[in-house]
Amino acid sequence: MDATEWLADYRSRLDRIAQGARQASESVRDIGATASSPRGEVTVSVNAGGALQGVTLTPMARRLEADALAELIVTTAREAQRLAGARMAEVMEDYLGDSPALARITQHLPTEAGR
């Protein structure tokens, strides 16, 4: 392979890598999750990073004591974060494969989301 062929091949590989990175970025941007409490009093939505996006309380939530409601919100938020983390791991596995880079990313996800 001469230098021109090598350079063309190298550019082609870089283009494929860049396209994969763009696709992964778009997929990650769309990740989020919503979880509801077992009886439906609380629904929590989070983004790809697990940051809170919204909390919805139904009339049933008003019947709960403040401490119980607070705990239910936290528990439901953790479940939404776990779901978002699991989705993040799936998207990144498609992009990175089963690699040390994937292990590095998933080690920081909420428990059960990492591999």
Side-chain angles (χ1 to χ4, degrees), residues 14-99:
L14 286 178
D15 288 342
R16 284 192 307 272
I17 291 169
Q19 177 61 28
R22 281 190 296 277
Q23 289 173 339
S25 177
E26 289 171 13
S27 295
V28 167
R29 188 174 36 247
D30 295 337
I31 293 174
T34 298
S36 294
S37 60
R39 291 183 305 262
E41 306 95 334
V42 175
T43 300
V44 175
S45 298
V46 298
N47 68 13
L52 190 62
Q53 296 295 295
V55 176
T56 303
L57 304 175
T58 66
M60 293 184 300
R62 285 188 240 157
R63 297 181 192 139
L64 298 172
E65 294 291 327
D67 289 344
L69 179 57
E71 181 60 31
L72 192 57
I73 291 169
V74 169
T75 300
T76 306
R78 284 186 183 138
E79 176 61 11
Q81 290 166 336
R82 186 194 65 75
L83 291 170
R87 289 184 183 139
M88 174 70 79
E90 288 173 14
V91 167
M92 294 312 294
E93 184 173 19
D94 287 345
Y95 177 64
L96 298 173
D98 191 17
S99 67

